[in-house]
Amino acid sequence: MNDIIHLLPDSVANQIAAGEVIQRPASVIKELVENSIDAGATHVQILITDAGRTCIQVIDNGKGMSETDARLAFERHATSKIQKADDLFSLRTMGFRGEALASIAAVTEVELRTRREEDDLGVCLRIEGSRITSQEPVSCPVGANFAVRNIFFNIPARRKFLKSNHTELANILAEFERIALAHPDVAFTLSSNDQVLHQLPAGSFRQRLIGLFGKRLDSQLLPVDTDTELVRIKGFVGTPESAKKKNAQQFFITNSRFMRHPYFAKAIQTAYERLIPEGYAVPFFITLDLDPAQIDVNVHPTKTEIKFTDEQEIWQILLVAVREALGKHNAIPSLDFTATRQPDIPSFAPASAPQPPSLHLKDGYNPFHSAAPAARPAAQSQWKPLLDDILAPAPATPDAPTLFDELPQSTAQTWTRTSEDYLQYQGQYIITPATQGLLLIDQHRASERILYDKYRRLMREGHSATQGLLFPQILQVSAAQAATLDRIADDLTRLGFNVSNLGGGSYSILGIPTGTEGLDPVILLQGIIDDAHAATLADDTTPSDTATDAIHHLLATALARKAAMPQGELLTREEMARLTDELLDTSLPGYTADGRRIIITLTAAQLARFFT
């Protein structure tokens, strides 16, 4: 029998390994920019075309490479960062594996122009699918200029699974934010299709935060600064008022390296107990500086996971540091004992003697002689049909393990009311009889369902009525959120928003949809943008029609949820009737757009089981 085990060619091995390191255009940018920072660059320019599908160009003013180094850099496991295994525990550089450039060259067409300061001429190197096609001397500035074109050109299956340009651009912006935040001393410029998205000068950590996420964030930050023998913790946490239910900006940076660490995030969340509602999270931007020997970054090829030797101790220090920051800046509610105004306490007047309580007896009262019972008020006539309908004998049905019948999520489910009687309970539920039984309707969710269908119809058919604002409101967003807002601008116009781009991440809100006048325009639009941005990062749809329908569903759901009738609102009989009729006329009255139940049917047989 012939031998069947053989060595894979280097080109095939590189393509397989590239699957771990290079997952999308954002991965290429991450690896190239980190190499630029390791080369001592003080200014890095990133130019992308078609969200990185066509071209990614990274230009830096770092040390540059010699002709030999430039060629050797594309070999697997070729690196200048470490010499031996022990160097892994004293890392101060971003890269160290020697896999990034080899992986990039395996699945793209690469052109590198680089020169060192001591060289008169640089070198131009062209590589396609791990194969060097040309190498020649060239005149170029000091540093490196990488041009990466046609990602996954030789792996059509991988290229087919790239997501939409909006999604890939959103992931590039998210990766750029992490790198730029970890290195505020480096100037960055990011451009997409000849449009500058970010132009960040070198500066302080707070200046970098404002440059990335807008001036509005500045007023929501509390500084954190704690220095111990184990770790130095610096950065900022958000005020309790900045808490969000989702999409809170949360960043950990360890030794100038972005990382994800749910355990440390839990420490910060614990510091805000009883300060923010349950299910909410605050933004934070925390840097941790400690001895590299106390951490292990060689956990995952993306290098975003880090193991700590003293994890529990750092957790406690982080918790105390955040609580101290909250206390120093009066973010924790406290009693003010220095108030000059005193409460009005009635003074004791000794001239007026207290009066003893008086006792009045009813002479001739006999508890054994009861008077005729007082006449009870007549029952409301309109409730007689309701009781008759509930207590009417119902056909026998098999016993179910649950009290309430599960409603099928189908448009075929209909309800026919048998009376025009309505009862509101606790300002939350509407009760009315129907042929199927007693209907219990969640009025807030019913309003949400009605508005959802209305907004979907408006986006399909045309424009909604707009309520102009007497004083325009200014909305500040980050570059990533601005890209999302530009994507959904036409749909927002159909919904009734009138938004004008002022440039620099500032937008003027001139009008809002009719029916949302009682809501804060900035908070309303910011919430919709946050939902749309989160959905864009998780977008798995490539066809344009499917993506358009998905974004329509998202916008209608987000706006309906925020504009729906609030819980606890008291309704008249006419309002309850109108709400119920409009709900039953919707496409799926039993459930909200995100699958929450609106109607529960309580049959006569189920009522009878309560009294058996």
Side-chain angles (χ1 to χ4, degrees), residues 577-593:
R578 183 168 60 253
L579 185 69
T580 303
D581 291 339
E582 291 179 357
L583 172 65
L584 298 182
D585 287 339
T586 59
S587 58
L588 186 60
Y591 292 86
T592 62

Side-chain angles (χ1 to χ4, degrees), residues 483-506:
T484 301
L485 180 54
D486 292 340
R487 178 190 181 189
I488 63 176
D490 292 341
D491 295 317
L492 290 175
T493 301
R494 295 189 188 96
L495 286 174
F497 284 97
N498 184 2
V499 181
S500 175
N501 189 350
L502 302 178
S506 297

Side-chain angles (χ1 to χ4, degrees), residues 374-412:
R376 299 179 60 184
Q380 298 289 341
S381 60
Q382 62 265 32
W383 287 105
K384 188 175 184 304
L386 172 62
L387 296 175
D388 292 343
D389 183 74
I390 294 175
L391 300 178
T397 57
D399 292 337
T402 58
L403 176 61
F404 300 119
D405 293 334
E406 292 295 328
L407 299 179
Q409 293 200 35
S410 167
T411 55

Side-chain angles (χ1 to χ4, degrees), residues 112-128:
L112 167 62
R113 294 170 179 263
T114 182
R115 180 173 74 89
R116 297 181 301 179
E117 187 175 3
E118 60 268 26
D119 297 332
D120 295 330
L121 289 175
V123 60
C124 178
L125 196 66
R126 294 183 179 90
I127 302 176
E128 294 182 6

Side-chain angles (χ1 to χ4, degrees), residues 273-489:
E273 281 184 348
R274 301 185 182 181
L275 296 178
I276 60 176
E278 185 176 356
Y280 280 66
V282 294
F284 59 77
F285 311 89
I286 298 296
T287 65
L288 295 88
D289 292 318
L290 66 165
D291 185 357
Q294 303 301 315
I295 61 175
D296 182 8
V297 299
N298 190 26
V299 178
H300 192 272
T302 60
K303 296 174 288 227
T304 57
E305 299 178 15
I306 298 178
K307 289 185 177 180
F308 291 79
T309 303
D310 304 301
E311 194 172 67
Q312 294 185 358
E313 290 80 358
I314 295 176
W315 193 95
Q316 294 290 344
I317 296 172
L318 184 59
L319 173 62
V320 172
V322 175
R323 282 182 173 171
E324 181 183 16
L326 291 172
K328 281 183 178 179
H329 297 85
N330 295 325
I332 300 177
S334 59
L335 293 176
D336 187 4
F337 295 100
T338 63
T340 56
R341 294 186 59 188
Q342 302 297 330
D344 293 332
I345 302 175
S347 58
F348 175 69
S352 58
Q355 298 294 327
S358 59
L359 181 64
H360 301 281
L361 299 177
K362 186 176 181 180
D363 297 334
Y365 173 73
N366 189 341
F368 298 101
H369 293 167
S370 60
R376 299 179 60 184
Q380 298 289 341
S381 60
Q382 62 265 32
W383 287 105
K384 188 175 184 304
L386 172 62
L387 296 175
D388 292 343
D389 183 74
I390 294 175
L391 300 178
T397 57
D399 292 337
T402 58
L403 176 61
F404 300 119
D405 293 334
E406 292 295 328
L407 299 179
Q409 293 200 35
S410 167
T411 55
Q413 178 70 27
T414 59
W415 291 269
T416 304
R417 290 179 291 110
T418 59
S419 171
E420 293 298 324
D421 294 313
Y422 299 90
L423 173 66
Q424 187 182 31
Y425 179 65
Q426 289 189 343
Q428 293 183 331
Y429 307 103
I430 298 173
I431 305 173
T432 186
T435 55
Q436 295 87 346
L438 195 63
L439 300 186
L440 285 76
I441 303 172
D442 187 310
Q443 67 184 40
H444 171 76
R445 296 181 181 179
S447 174
E448 186 178 322
R449 179 77 226 186
I450 294 168
L451 291 174
Y452 171 82
D453 278 24
K454 170 188 173 183
Y455 295 140
R456 285 302 300 265
R457 184 173 63 255
L458 289 173
M459 284 188 287
R460 287 193 303 265
E461 298 176 357
H463 296 273
S464 170
T466 300
Q467 175 65 48
L469 299 179
L470 182 60
F471 300 102
Q473 301 289 312
I474 303 300
L475 172 67
Q476 291 279 348
V477 297
S478 65
Q481 293 173 328
T484 301
L485 180 54
D486 292 340
R487 178 190 181 189
I488 63 176

Side-chain angles (χ1 to χ4, degrees), residues 28-29 32-33 44-49 52 54-60 111 113 144-149 189-191:
V28 176
I29 292 175
L32 293 181
V33 174
V44 180
Q45 301 178 60
I46 306 167
L47 311 172
I48 58 178
T49 305
T54 302
C55 181
I56 299 170
Q57 190 172 9
V58 176
I59 307 170
D60 67 62
E111 178 182 292
R113 294 170 179 263
N145 183 340
F146 282 89
V148 179
R149 299 181 176 89
T189 301
L190 174 64
S191 301

